[in-house]
Amino acid sequence: MSKKENDKFIITVKSNTKDLFAFTKLIPNRKKRFQKASSEPITSDPMNELARKLHPRRQYLIVSEIKDETKTTKTIKLIPDPDSNTKELAYFRAGQYLSLKVKVNGISITRPYSVSSSPSEALNGFYEITIKKVEDGYLTKYIWDNWKINQKIISSEPNGFFYYESLRDKKEIVAIGGGSGITPFRSMAKEIAEGKLDIKKMTIIYGSSEEDDIIFYDELKELESKNPEKIKVVHVLSCEEVSLEGCEKGFINADIIKKYTDVNNSTFFICGPQIMYEFLDKEIEKLNLPLKRVRKEILGQIKDIVNYPGFPQDFAGKTFNIKVHVGNAIKEIPALATEPVLVAMERAGLTPPSKCRSGECGFCRSRLISGEIYIIPESDKRRAADKRFNFFHPCSSYPLSNLEIKVPRDA
Amino acid sequence: MNETSNIQKINDSYDAIVIGAGNGGLVAAAQLAMNGVKVLLLEQHNLPGGFATSFVRGRFEFEASLHELCDYGSTTDKGGIKSLFDDKFNLDAEFIEIPEAYRLILTDPGEDIDVTMPFGIENFLDAIEKEVPGSRNSVKNFFDLGKDILHATAYIGKSRGNPDQKVLMQEHSNFLKTTAYTVKEVQDALNMPEKARKILNAYWVYLGVPTNRVNFTIFATMVYLYVRRKAYVPKNRSHEYTTALDAKIREFGGDIEYNTKVEKILVENGKIIGVETVNGDKIKTNHVISNASPTLVYNKLISPKSEVPEIALKEINARTHGVATFVVYLGLNKTAEELGIKEYSYFIYNKGNTEELYYSLGKLETPNVQATICLNAAIPDCSPPGTCIISITSAFLHGVWDDVKSEDYFELKNKIAEELIDNFEKAIGASIKEHVEEIEIATPQTFARYTGTYNGIIYGYEPEPWDSFIPRLSCMKDEKHIEGLELCGGFGMRCHGYSSSMKDGETAGLLTLQDMIQKGEIKK
Ligand SMILES: Cc1cc2nc3c(=O)[nH]c(=O)nc-3n(C[C@H](O)[C@H](O)[C@H](O)COP(=O)(O)OP(=O)(O)OC[C@H]3O[C@@H](n4cnc5c(N)ncnc54)[C@H](O)[C@@H]3O)c2cc1C
Ligand code: FES
């Protein structure tokens, strides 16, 4: 019931006295409730617990097996380090990568590697990564020379967005891989074979330079023969002389793709070295696919940045000084114009945070206090406001002058 | 000491430390820094904002949690947040007005409601009268009460918490007489028609408590402020104004460290003496403002445990933790117009009874409750030409996800996301699924992961009448248990919501400042 007085509406909820009484009792009743309540502390927090399981900041691992796949590739099996708190491995989505944090000659670096084993194998206690030795590679050379069974490794949680997503992708997928880019597809194919990835068909088109370079040849063949409806593998070899039966010759191109796939009913996943992308981009363009059906794995650090279209070539060979603020310390470090700011920091013995090294994950996000940088436009995945307020991703930015930057400590 | 560990250090003493760079913590730190306090803001994530953030997938930048900022307002009718940003901090951030209040669709046969409500009190009243003839007066009275409550709270604020009882009785009786009641109790007294309630109470999800339990005071002021001052969103997602706040704090002389999780709040003889971080920092201070909730502070952070006051735990246990949210973010490769999506904000429920809706959030099933927004309806160029961004938000009661295992997690969230998309498609008759170019799904786990919030909860304690903002503000002195400790944010004195959390941060900053001045720690 309510009434009007002098044009002003005055409420009565129950009755005038009751309403005012209820008001006066509000605080005493509150105090009574508190007094009556339990004083047991809350000790469980299931969602933070689940978050730690799915996304542990660090996983402490050891190498339990090393298998030579080809002359230049090894599959490394990783299991929880029994001396650590890592008791189980984080589950993941086939196609995701781990960022390994390793020391090379006293210098701390990270490198991303796709998990080549299947998600269910993580539940059984192991991950596999398959590493290709890179010419003049920094870490890979070190691995070949130094890693043995029981080598300790720190890994991130599984990362990245290169996975099949049922609410977005077609039920038929085409996996185009080159070289070590086959690794995420091995994980996906295994998951399909286990009956856990709900897709109709996966066609793997795998480019290698020669027969001896094909990684997982036998395994892929077996996956294909055991799941003929679901998995199809096409090898494409670029060398002159090819003895392998049933393979395609040359580079993966639009015609080969059309020959083996239902182009208009497939989602394309592409993973391989930079040179493959450069060639393939033009071929994919010919297929007129909407962006949504082309998923490209990130590249990592761009090779040969000097010749990258758009990079100011006259900066080649120049070095600058970077004044780095970390915590309350300041360190002056040298930096090449042709090397990402992140690498300059690592070389100088700093341990800045990083994961994808491709500009995508934002984990290395830092603040540019002063100076000029070159950012690879394709890798510029910064948030709009970060661009406006001078935050940048050191993994995909190159110094074009002396810089002053503020970098967060590693998490 | 070697170089690396040296370089990992930060200063070891501050006048004040703010834990957490969410809405509350950012404003608290800015307030302190602006007043010359040597303040350090510590954030466990590598970004400011907490929930008030954004993320990039492909060519889209998604808003993580904000639907509509309340109490921002225009230059001619400035709200509390606009005053804070423009007048106090002179913040470099742009906000865009949302075109309409909301479209409410009730999907069960027989419910028969599909209305789009406008902003502006008069427009809203006209629309509801048209929809429910005879309802205008009761709804007008509802808004008048909202307005009266705001006048009353402004008066109490001006009196610095010591209002003249006579003035309260004479001038603010509408406030006094509704404070102890729920929305339902007051709407009953207003004789508001059932259908008008269903329409007006569409906003219930923003507080996450059904109208038979949610306090009238907070609900009425919220709805009144939305309808009167309209709602706003940041031009470049929440990350824009939170980053602008980060810049302000530094400009004012404050320090910020990201990737620095506070593990312990050190207390001795009932007084704050410092904090310890996971990075191994031990930092001395006499003042801590925690943007982390009381639940986390008293159950986890205070060290040693013997310093945790029993009453603080009782206070937490007497309350009900609010809901955790579930969000599906969609980057679509068609424009909103092409898809037939016209409005910014959609409330889609199967029923109009909020109590039933609330209990339906208590099962690990797809809720029949969604608040969906199409950002392009407010900011046409928020995504590349030819595309649009939609986010569908639903909720679960605290604890519903507790037994989910990591190996079942991805499948579960995809199933719920798919059904939420289906429900949206059915409700508005659009087909969006085939146009999904990017999709991300956030669950209670996700919010826990990025912010550490207790059990993934995104809303604070439920604001029932006994625990709404008036009782909380009135009791703030009695419920302060540790000298030098203030709390702020969604679990704070003004209850949850972006604007409440920010205003709460401002209050925490001012209270700390006052304490420092009283103790002679800083000059006025
Ligand atoms: C998502 C993703 C998944 C990947 N998955 C795989 C995979 O499954 N298998 C695989 O084989 N590869 C994979 N890669 C590539 C892999 O991460 C490495 O790039 C590759 O192994 C090469 O490492 P490297 O250190 O040997 O070579 P490079 O990284 O080419 O080594 C040279 C680099 O080291 C830097 N450097 C040289 N000297 C120093 C120094 N003193 N201090 C610090 N830095 C120095 C150089 O500047 C240069 O950047 C993946 C990449 C990405 C982005
Ligand atoms: S490491 Fe991922 S963005 Fe730099």
Side-chain angles (χ1 to χ4, degrees):
Chain A
M1 266 165 291
S2 28
K3 59 184 177 193
K4 284 209 167 198
E5 262 173 25
N6 307 334
D7 224 27
K8 183 172 156 56
F9 163 73
I10 299 290
I11 181 92
T12 301
V13 182
K14 298 206 166 137
S15 76
N16 204 31
T17 18
K18 273 191 186 160
D19 295 353
L20 290 173
F21 184 69
F23 179 78
T24 56
K25 293 304 278 182
L26 200 53
I27 305 301
N29 283 343
R30 174 182 176 85
K31 295 199 190 272
K32 256 188 238 158
R33 274 183 190 253
F34 286 157
Q35 282 309 333
K36 275 202 309 217
S38 145
S39 58
E40 270 306 298
I42 298 172
T43 50
S44 83
D45 187 339
M47 284 306 100
N48 275 292
E49 200 45 52
L50 182 60
R52 267 190 296 277
K53 280 190 177 182
L54 284 165
H55 310 284
R57 263 171 207 243
R58 296 208 170 133
Q59 305 193 79
Y60 294 88
L61 312 174
I62 56 166
V63 172
S64 73
E65 266 178 57
I66 302 177
K67 182 185 168 205
D68 285 316
E69 298 285 355
T70 68
K71 278 177 294 183
T72 54
T73 36
K74 292 176 191 292
T75 291
I76 293 173
K77 191 169 181 176
L78 301 166
I79 60 170
D81 179 350
D83 301 334
S84 75
N85 287 331
T86 301
K87 299 295 170 210
E88 48 189 278
L89 301 178
Y91 194 56
F92 65 101
R93 296 177 85 152
Q96 287 190 302
Y97 69 85
L98 300 171
S99 164
L100 302 190
K101 194 192 291 280
V102 280
K103 270 205 165 161
V104 176
N105 308 321
I107 282 185
S108 217
I109 59 164
T110 70
R111 288 287 183 271
Y113 290 100
S114 308
V115 186
S116 59
S117 50
S118 78
S120 68
E121 287 169 331
L123 297 177
N124 293 333
F126 70 91
Y127 294 130
E128 280 172 348
I129 53 174
T130 303
I131 302 183
K132 188 171 172 69
K133 191 171 183 195
V134 172
E135 219 173 304
D136 305 323
Y138 187 58
L139 175 64
T140 48
K141 179 176 180 337
Y142 183 84
I143 291 176
W144 259 248
D145 294 346
N146 293 280
W147 279 17
K148 298 191 180 69
I149 307 292
N150 288 335
Q151 164 77 38
K152 286 181 196 273
I153 288 165
I154 299 175
S155 164
S156 70
E157 81 268 47
N159 279 289
F161 313 111
F162 190 69
Y163 47 74
Y164 170 74
E165 170 53 71
S166 61
L167 297 178
R168 176 196 64 204
D169 300 328
K170 295 275 183 196
K171 291 262 180 238
E172 281 186 38
I173 64 173
V174 179
I176 302 180
S180 67
I182 192 68
T183 48
F185 301 134
R186 181 201 193 218
S187 181
M188 291 183 198
K190 280 181 150 221
E191 201 177 27
I192 292 168
E194 290 163 5
K196 294 208 178 95
L197 199 60
D198 173 32
I199 69 162
K200 230 167 85 193
K201 178 147 198 193
M202 178 184 197
T203 307
I204 299 175
I205 305 180
Y206 180 20
S208 306
S209 36
E210 51 192 277
E211 214 178 314
D212 283 354
D213 285 331
I214 301 176
I215 311 171
F216 306 132
Y217 180 80
D218 294 332
E219 239 183 278
L220 291 171
K221 200 167 184 164
E222 192 181 325
L223 283 165
E224 186 182 22
S225 64
K226 286 196 175 153
N227 305 275
E229 244 97 272
K230 292 209 158 172
I231 299 172
K232 162 92 187 145
V233 184
V234 181
H235 289 284
V236 183
L237 295 178
S238 60
C239 57
E240 293 292 310
E241 276 168 49
V242 176
S243 56
L244 193 69
E245 256 177 64
C247 74
E248 293 286 341
K249 282 174 232 163
F251 294 110
I252 301 172
N253 60 28
D255 290 333
I256 294 178
I257 295 171
K258 279 193 238 163
K259 180 171 165 190
Y260 290 98
T261 68
D262 182 357
V263 172
N264 291 323
N265 278 309
S266 304
T267 296
F268 290 75
F269 287 82
I270 303 170
C271 183
Q274 197 177 321
I275 33 165
M276 174 180 119
Y277 282 27
E278 283 159 17
F279 179 81
L280 205 60
D281 278 352
K282 295 184 202 95
E283 299 301 307
I284 292 285
E285 228 180 87
K286 293 180 195 161
L287 301 176
N288 262 325
L289 300 168
L291 271 176
K292 125 181 188 104
R293 290 201 283 119
V294 185
R295 322 295 313 175
K296 265 163 69 179
E297 179 55 306
I298 46 174
L299 270 176
Q301 184 181 328
I302 297 295
K303 301 248 178 323
D304 195 18
I305 187 72
V306 185
N307 292 315
Y308 194 82
F311 185 84
Q313 290 196 343
D314 42 329
F315 279 82
K318 291 199 176 161
T319 49
F320 298 107
N321 246 331
I322 307 183
K323 193 173 180 183
V324 186
H325 297 254
V326 189
N328 64 358
I330 298 169
K331 192 166 171 162
E332 302 251 6
I333 64 166
L336 284 170
T338 48
E339 227 172 42
V341 174
L342 178 68
V343 175
M345 290 194 278
E346 288 176 340
R347 276 187 194 277
L350 297 173
T351 54
S354 69
K355 278 183 192 166
C356 72
R357 305 182 76 93
S358 312
E360 182 192 69
C361 75
F363 200 60
C364 62
R365 177 181 183 267
S366 300
R367 185 160 55 88
L368 181 63
I369 300 169
S370 67
E372 290 292 317
I373 50 175
Y374 171 78
I375 301 177
I376 301 168
E378 289 78 9
S379 311
D380 193 359
K381 296 286 180 194
R382 291 177 297 164
R383 296 162 173 86
D386 277 351
K387 295 181 187 168
R388 199 148 82 70
F389 287 93
N390 277 332
F391 286 86
F392 74 113
H393 296 170
C395 67
S396 48
S397 307
Y398 298 75
L400 299 181
S401 73
N402 290 339
L403 307 179
E404 185 171 355
I405 63 177
K406 162 92 186 179
V407 180
R409 301 182 294 173
D410 196 9
Chain B
M1 208 179 280
N2 71 30
E3 204 168 42
T4 3
S5 64
N6 221 350
I7 216 148
Q8 294 285 334
K9 277 202 146 180
I10 53 181
N11 290 345
D12 57 9
S13 140
Y14 278 87
D15 292 344
I17 289 175
V18 178
I19 302 173
N23 279 320
L26 282 166
V27 173
Q31 178 69 57
L32 288 176
M34 190 177 101
N35 287 87
V37 174
K38 205 178 140 222
V39 61
L40 171 65
L41 172 58
L42 295 175
E43 165 60 46
Q44 52 95 29
H45 194 29
N46 74 341
L47 299 170
F51 302 133
T53 188
S54 70
F55 57 91
V56 173
R57 292 288 180 275
R59 44 184 185 149
F60 300 90
E61 181 174 346
F62 295 98
E63 172 71 44
S65 71
L66 178 65
H67 284 213
E68 322 182 64
L69 187 58
C70 189
D71 198 23
Y72 186 79
S74 63
T75 14
T76 47
D77 185 18
K78 218 180 251 186
I81 298 304
K82 193 170 170 62
S83 302
L84 184 73
F85 283 1
D86 291 4
D87 304 340
K88 189 175 240 179
F89 296 144
N90 190 18
L91 204 68
D92 180 10
E94 193 184 340
F95 286 81
I96 308 284
E97 190 183 305
I98 287 166
E100 78 291 315
Y102 55 84
R103 176 165 164 198
L104 169 70
I105 306 173
L106 302 183
T107 56
D108 267 5
E111 284 283 359
D112 200 28
I113 289 183
D114 182 349
V115 287
T116 302
M117 301 304 289
F119 281 126
I121 300 287
E122 281 308 312
N123 298 340
F124 194 97
L125 291 174
D126 291 345
I128 207 157
E129 176 65 22
K130 194 170 149 227
E131 210 53 49
V132 191
S135 67
R136 185 187 183 99
N137 207 36
S138 59
V139 179
K140 181 179 184 304
N141 289 342
F142 174 93
F143 285 138
D144 283 347
L145 288 174
K147 188 169 161 186
D148 289 349
I149 293 166
L150 285 171
H151 284 155
T153 50
Y155 166 69
I156 298 170
K158 257 193 221 127
S159 73
R160 297 180 161 267
N162 292 310
D164 184 334
Q165 294 303 316
K166 249 206 209 133
V167 177
L168 273 186
M169 286 293 276
Q170 277 166 10
E171 287 171 34
H172 302 291
S173 72
N174 276 347
F175 161 74
L176 290 184
K177 288 160 71 184
T178 52
T179 304
Y181 291 119
T182 63
V183 168
K184 181 171 187 316
E185 283 167 320
V186 179
Q187 288 181 344
D188 283 348
L190 293 173
N191 286 321
M192 192 182 287
E194 202 56 41
K195 188 170 177 193
R197 294 189 202 197
K198 286 181 179 175
I199 295 173
L200 183 64
N201 296 346
Y203 277 123
W204 81 278
V205 273
Y206 286 175
L207 292 172
V209 184
T211 52
N212 64 327
R213 286 202 297 112
V214 74
N215 169 232
F216 178 76
T217 320
I218 187 165
F219 185 76
T221 48
M222 177 185 81
V223 176
Y224 173 71
L225 285 173
Y226 270 133
V227 176
R228 169 175 155 186
R229 294 214 168 110
K230 308 183 176 173
Y232 288 76
V233 272
K235 174 102 195 338
N236 288 305
R237 311 316 99 84
S238 291
H239 185 61
E240 179 174 37
Y241 79 81
T242 54
T243 306
L245 279 166
D246 161 309
K248 263 305 157 194
I249 293 165
R250 288 182 284 104
E251 184 190 315
F252 290 147
D255 288 340
I256 306 175
E257 280 297 327
Y258 292 105
N259 285 351
T260 304
K261 184 174 190 165
V262 170
E263 203 164 37
K264 289 178 182 166
I265 300 176
L266 304 173
V267 181
E268 203 175 272
N269 300 322
K271 287 184 191 162
I272 293 287
I273 57 162
V275 305
E276 259 179 55
T277 73
V278 279
N279 314 47
D281 314 294
K282 288 195 171 109
I283 314 164
K284 288 199 204 92
T285 189
N286 294 323
H287 299 275
V288 164
I289 297 178
S290 175
N291 195 179
S293 65
T295 303
L296 288 179
V297 166
Y298 293 111
N299 287 292
K300 250 175 101 174
L301 296 177
I302 301 278
S303 175
K305 290 269 177 255
S306 56
E307 290 285 352
V308 177
E310 195 181 45
I311 185 67
L313 296 175
K314 283 169 169 270
E315 284 169 14
I316 293 160
N317 291 333
R319 304 168 127 163
T320 310
H321 286 89
V323 299
T325 47
F326 183 101
V327 190
V328 187
Y329 308 91
L330 300 168
L332 303 174
N333 66 5
K334 279 262 176 316
T335 64
E337 298 86 70
E338 285 169 320
L339 296 169
I341 298 168
K342 292 190 199 73
E343 285 81 16
Y344 173 86
S345 168
Y346 295 83
F347 292 120
I348 302 171
Y349 312 139
N350 64 335
K351 293 178 165 53
N353 181 322
T354 59
E355 199 183 356
E356 283 180 62
L357 293 175
Y358 176 86
Y359 285 111
S360 78
L361 309 180
K363 287 172 276 180
L364 195 52
E365 287 169 11
T366 304
N368 283 309
V369 171
Q370 61 172 262
T372 297
I373 55 181
C374 174
L375 199 52
N376 303 70
I379 313 167
D381 60 352
C382 70
S383 64
T387 69
C388 71
I389 294 178
I390 287 180
S391 64
I392 304 177
T393 303
S394 191
F396 289 94
L397 300 191
H398 168 53
V400 172
W401 279 64
D402 283 5
D403 297 323
V404 173
K405 294 197 177 53
S406 50
E407 58 269 35
D408 303 326
Y409 174 79
F410 300 121
E411 206 174 313
L412 175 67
K413 73 173 188 172
N414 271 42
K415 176 177 171 280
I416 295 172
E418 180 163 19
E419 287 168 8
L420 286 170
I421 298 171
D422 285 343
N423 291 347
F424 178 70
E425 287 185 330
K426 258 182 254 157
I428 73 154
S431 108
I432 59 175
K433 232 190 247 155
E434 60 190 291
H435 303 295
V436 175
E437 180 175 314
E438 297 293 341
I439 175 168
E440 196 52 79
I441 303 163
T443 72
Q445 181 277 132
T446 315
F447 291 102
R449 172 191 181 190
Y450 285 109
T451 71
T453 183
Y454 168 64
N455 220 15
I457 291 166
I458 193 163
Y459 287 179
Y461 308 113
E462 292 188 346
E464 292 190 34
W466 69 275
D467 194 23
S468 184
F469 73 99
I470 296 297
R472 289 189 201 183
L473 283 165
S474 319
C475 294
M476 73 185 173
K477 286 205 184 84
D478 289 359
E479 291 170 15
K480 183 176 154 75
H481 305 301
I482 288 173
E483 199 178 324
L485 175 67
E486 296 291 343
L487 290 114
C488 68
F491 289 72
M493 289 186 286
R494 284 182 179 77
C495 310
H496 44 272
Y498 269 58
S499 30
S500 307
S501 302
M502 287 192 261
K503 292 300 270 181
D504 201 43
E506 184 187 25
T507 305
L510 290 170
L511 288 171
T512 299
L513 201 61
Q514 198 181 26
D515 194 25
M516 296 176 110
I517 292 168
Q518 268 166 14
K519 289 178 174 154
E521 291 169 354
I522 56 158
K523 286 180 291 233
K524 225 180 149 152

